Amino acid sequence: MLVTTRSRAAKLGAFVAGAALLLSACGGGGGGNSAVQTGQAFADCDKNPNSCNSVQADQLQQGGDVTYAIEKNIPNWNVTSAEGNVFETGMVTKGILPYTFYATPDLKPVLNKDFVESADVTSTNPQVVVYKLNPKASWDDGTPLSADDFIYNWKVQNGKDCPDCAPASTSGYDQVSSVVGSDNGKTVTATFSKPFTDWRQLWSSSGAMYPAHLAAQHGDTATPAGLASSYKWFGDTVPTWSGGPFKISKFVNNQSVTEVPNDKYWGTKPLLSSVIFRVITDATQEPTALQNNEVQVIYPQPQVDLVNQVKNMPNISSYIGLGLTWEHFDFNLKSPGLDNKALRQAMFTAINRKDMIAKTVGQFTNKVEPLNNHNFMPQQSGFKDVVSSTGQGTGDIDKAKKLLTDAGYKLNGTQLQDPSGKNVGPYRIRYTVGNQIRQDECELFAAAAKQLGITVNVSPTDDLGDTTTKGDYDIIVFAWVSSPFPFAGAVQNWVTGQGSNYGKYSNPQVDSLIAQANAETDQAKATDLLNQADQIMSDDAYVLPLYQKPTFIASSDKIGNIRNNSTLDAPVYNMAEWGLRK
C-alpha cells in the first residue's frame, strides 16, 4: 500500500517486500459505487472502469502537454523505501520504473507485457516462478533489463541481505530463497522457501524496480553496507535514468516534476510531449488551478466545496467512486499509556463513525458506510465484518466509560487517571495539513475523548511520510492506497517490526496467522486465516477503520484515455496512452 504509504517503515505497505500499500494524504479512486459524475468523459466509468474515456490514437494529437496536480513534494525518490513509500512518489515514478504486474481500474492485477512477456508458477513444492523478460527491455542508457535488476531489488527488500535498507515492506521477498538468471539474464527464476500467496506483487508496480547497474556505482552490492549505500542514493537522487515510457527532464523542489517521453523506450511511445506534476499542497487551490487551465487534472480528496466548485466548470469532467483506499485512525503504542488495550478500546468505542461520515464525506456522497475490515473491502470476496462485534466506532460513551472503570481507571473531576493515579494524556492527534476533512475527523475524535476525561490536541503535519516513519504522533489519521494483494499488505502493515507498522503493534498470534495466510496456496484458507488475525487485531484496538475513501478525479475533456484507478497505481497507470483530442 502506499500511504502516503517500513523496519523502519517496511514499508510501501505503503508500496516491504513488494509493497502493497502507499500512504496517502489524499487518495485514488474507482470502482462501481459512483455517487457523483459530471461531464461526459467519465459517464461510462461505473460500467466499464477499464475502458471509459477511450480514444483511438488516430483521434489524438501528436504532442501537447498535460499538467497534473499532486499534493506533496517529493523529498525521497525511492518508492520501495519506508520513507519514500508515499502515494505522490508512486505516481511520479510510475512512468520511469519497470514492473512485473500493475492494477487496472477494476482492481485486478495485470501482467506488464512491455517488460515481462510471461510469469508462471512452474512448481508448487517448492514454489517456483519463472519470468520471461521482453528481449527489447532496457534502461535508457542501453543496459538490458535483466535478472540482475530482480536480484538487486530482492536483496534490498528481503530484510536479510541489507539490514539497514528499511524497505517499505519485506513481505514476500523474505520468502524468496534464490533468484537466478539465465538466457543472458532474460529469464528469471525465483524459488521460494515457502509459498507466497501474493507472488504477483513481487517486483510489481506497488514497488517497481531500480537499476542494479547504477546501484553498483554507488556501493558494493555484494555487501550489506554497499546495498544500503546504493539504496539511500536512490532515495536522495532525482532519477536521470528511466526504464519506462517517460523520463524526468526537470525537478523544481516544492514546485514541479516534468516528465518527457523516453526516446529509448522499446514499447509504444507516448503521444504527449510532457506530463508535468505540479505540487499544490493546499487542495482548496486545486479547483482554481483547474479552472484557470494551470493544471488539467486534479486528484484530491473530495470535499464538499471542492466537488461543488468543479461540478459547474465547463469542459471539465469529474467522477467520484469507491475502491481500495481506506481511511483510519491509528494509535502509537509507544506513547505513554497507549500500550493499555482497555484505554485504546474505550477511545475507539467513543468514536461515532456514522456521525463522523455524515459530517465529512457524507456531505457529497451517500455511498460511504463504516468499514469493518482492515484487509478486504466490501466489494472483495474475502470481506468479513470483524469490527462491529467489538463495539468500536459506535459512539457508545457509556460502554467506553465502563471499559475504563473495569480496567481500574477513574475520573478526577474532568481528568481521567490510570489505575496508578497518573493523569491520562494529553495526547496529540495529527493529520495532513490543508485537509479539512481530516482536520474535522481529528476534532471529532478529540471531542469524543473529552467525554472520557482525555485531552487530545489536534496538530497538522506537512510531511506524512516522515511523521509516520519517526512515530511523531500519539494518534494519527491517514489512508492506505491499496493494491489487489491483501495478504502481502497485511504483512507490511500489521506484522511485528514491519516498516508500515508505524505504531509498533505486536501480537505473536496475529503474526503467526498472517504468516500462515501469506504462505497458503488455497485462497479460501488464506482468506479465513487473515480474517482470524483481523478479528484479534480489531479487539486489540490498534487501528480503527473508518470508511472506504471516496476518490475524486476531475480533468479537462480534451484529454483522452485518462480515467480513475482506485489502487495505488492511480490514474497515471496508463499515462503513456494519454493524448489530447484533435
Side-chain angles (χ1 to χ4, degrees):
M1 306 173 174
L2 283 177
V3 183
T4 3
T5 69
R6 293 154 184 271
S7 329
R8 222 172 35 225
K11 287 162 178 176
L12 240 196
F15 275 138
V16 238
L21 315 171
L22 288 179
L23 282 176
S24 176
C26 54
N33 292 307
S34 177
V36 174
Q37 179 268 315
T38 65
Q40 294 304 310
F42 304 131
D44 198 35
C45 285
D46 273 340
K47 292 182 179 179
N48 299 295
N50 290 354
S51 60
C52 60
N53 196 31
S54 290
V55 181
Q56 296 298 316
D58 60 2
Q59 298 174 1
L60 297 171
Q61 303 174 26
Q62 181 66 51
D65 308 308
V66 167
T67 301
Y68 185 114
I70 59 175
E71 297 187 353
K72 285 208 287 295
N73 190 40
I74 312 297
N76 185 300
W77 295 90
N78 188 344
V79 75
T80 72
S81 71
E83 189 174 343
N85 178 229
V86 176
F87 184 59
E88 285 77 6
T89 308
M91 288 196 291
V92 167
T93 57
K94 194 72 62 187
I96 69 169
L97 300 179
Y99 44 82
T100 54
F101 287 84
Y102 64 99
T104 45
D106 62 356
L107 315 182
K108 293 181 172 59
V110 175
L111 188 68
N112 176 16
K113 291 195 173 181
D114 275 357
F115 177 37
V116 181
E117 293 186 336
S118 64
D120 299 300
V121 177
T122 60
S123 169
T124 57
N125 187 23
Q127 186 180 50
V128 176
V129 179
V130 176
Y131 301 85
K132 298 285 188 179
L133 307 193
N134 187 323
K136 298 178 181 179
S138 65
W139 299 100
D140 63 341
D141 63 3
T143 303
L145 279 154
S146 73
D148 291 344
D149 300 302
F150 280 73
I151 292 167
Y152 172 76
N153 286 276
W154 164 56
K155 285 184 173 181
V156 294
Q157 294 180 85
N158 65 25
K160 301 168 186 174
D161 288 288
C162 184
D164 293 329
C165 278
S169 172
T170 59
S171 176
Y173 291 113
D174 59 358
Q175 293 171 225
V176 174
S177 57
S178 68
V179 181
V180 178
S182 56
D183 299 333
N184 292 318
K186 288 297 184 178
T187 296
V188 182
T189 301
T191 302
F192 293 73
S193 58
K194 58 181 178 180
F196 180 49
T197 310
D198 279 334
W199 64 269
R200 291 176 182 82
Q201 188 186 334
L202 300 180
W203 300 289
S204 75
S205 61
S206 63
M209 302 179 72
Y210 287 76
H213 68 290
L214 294 184
Q217 297 174 17
H218 298 279
D220 182 352
T221 55
T223 68
L227 288 168
S229 175
S230 63
Y231 199 64
K232 183 178 185 299
W233 182 80
F234 283 126
D236 294 340
T237 310
V238 180
T240 57
W241 45 267
S242 177
F246 285 88
K247 62 183 179 182
I248 295 173
S249 62
K250 185 179 181 181
F251 170 58
V252 181
N253 195 35
N254 290 307
Q255 292 185 29
S256 63
V257 182
T258 301
E259 299 189 11
V260 298
N262 172 11
D263 57 3
K264 305 296 185 183
Y265 190 60
W266 61 93
T268 303
K269 302 290 196 301
L271 291 173
L272 293 173
S273 299
S274 72
V275 175
I276 302 157
F277 294 95
R278 180 179 166 190
V279 180
I280 303 178
T281 56
D282 183 352
T284 64
Q285 299 304 309
E286 292 183 53
T288 302
L290 182 66
Q291 187 166 34
N292 294 341
N293 202 35
E294 297 166 20
V295 301
Q296 290 78 51
V297 188
I298 63 173
Y299 200 49
Q301 172 177 319
Q303 318 236 6
V304 179
D305 291 346
L306 190 152
V307 169
N308 287 337
Q309 286 182 64
V310 170
K311 190 183 302 183
N312 299 314
M313 290 182 185
N315 306 313
I316 297 292
S317 291
S318 67
Y319 177 86
I320 285 182
L322 303 179
L324 296 181
T325 305
W326 57 286
E327 190 91 345
H328 49 93
F329 284 126
D330 296 26
F331 284 123
N332 183 346
L333 305 191
K334 295 299 181 182
S335 294
L338 292 181
D339 57 344
N340 187 290
K341 182 165 74 171
L343 177 61
R344 301 194 304 269
Q345 289 175 329
M347 293 174 76
F348 276 169
T349 300
I351 302 302
N352 188 326
R353 293 185 298 171
K354 287 187 176 180
D355 180 63
M356 185 172 288
I357 289 168
K359 292 177 177 175
T360 55
V361 294
Q363 295 182 66
F364 53 78
T365 175
N366 61 2
K367 298 292 185 179
V368 178
E369 298 288 342
L371 177 63
N372 292 312
N373 196 290
H374 295 78
N375 300 293
F376 297 101
M377 297 300 108
Q379 299 93 327
Q380 296 178 294
S381 59
F383 179 82
K384 177 183 179 182
D385 183 347
V386 296
V387 176
S388 293
S389 61
T390 69
Q392 295 170 31
T394 60
D396 189 335
I397 299 297
D398 289 339
K399 180 176 180 179
K401 288 179 176 178
K402 186 175 188 305
L403 285 165
L404 293 170
T405 301
D406 289 350
Y409 288 82
K410 56 191 68 176
L411 272 177
N412 182 4
T414 59
Q415 172 64 55
L416 185 69
Q417 294 181 332
D418 69 16
S420 71
K422 183 178 179 181
N423 287 350
V424 175
Y427 292 120
R428 186 173 49 143
I429 189 169
R430 308 202 71 181
Y431 69 96
T432 308
V433 66
N435 189 315
Q436 186 62 49
I437 282 180
R438 294 233 171 98
Q439 182 178 344
D440 291 347
E441 289 167 352
C442 289
E443 289 172 352
L444 289 166
F445 187 108
K450 197 68 177 174
Q451 296 184 68
L452 305 180
I454 305 168
T455 297
V456 175
N457 298 313
V458 178
S459 172
T461 173
D462 60 2
D463 190 338
L464 182 58
D466 185 67
T467 298
T468 51
T469 301
K470 291 180 178 177
D472 188 17
Y473 64 93
D474 300 311
I475 312 150
I476 196 165
V477 62
F478 62 90
W480 283 123
V481 188
S482 305
S483 78
F485 306 111
F487 304 101
V491 174
Q492 177 186 327
N493 285 351
W494 319 125
V495 168
T496 302
Q498 286 290 326
S500 297
N501 185 349
Y502 299 124
K504 309 304 180 187
Y505 174 72
S506 180
N507 184 313
Q509 191 176 3
V510 168
D511 290 353
S512 176
L513 287 165
I514 290 177
Q516 293 175 58
N518 213 37
E520 176 56 66
T521 56
D522 185 318
Q523 195 82 3
K525 289 181 180 178
T527 297
D528 180 62
L529 288 163
L530 188 52
N531 278 327
Q532 288 181 47
D534 203 348
Q535 187 68 69
I536 297 167
M537 190 170 66
S538 295
D539 185 63
D540 282 344
Y542 163 50
V543 168
L544 178 64
L546 295 178
Y547 52 81
Q548 277 180 282
K549 192 174 188 61
T551 55
F552 180 66
I553 183 172
S555 71
S556 166
D557 288 339
K558 292 189 66 176
I559 306 172
N561 296 324
I562 190 171
R563 60 185 67 95
N564 194 37
N565 187 336
S566 66
T567 71
L568 51 76
D569 283 285
V572 296
Y573 84 102
N574 71 332
M575 72 180 196
E577 300 175 7
W578 297 357
L580 301 179
R581 288 178 167 86
K582 289 182 178 178

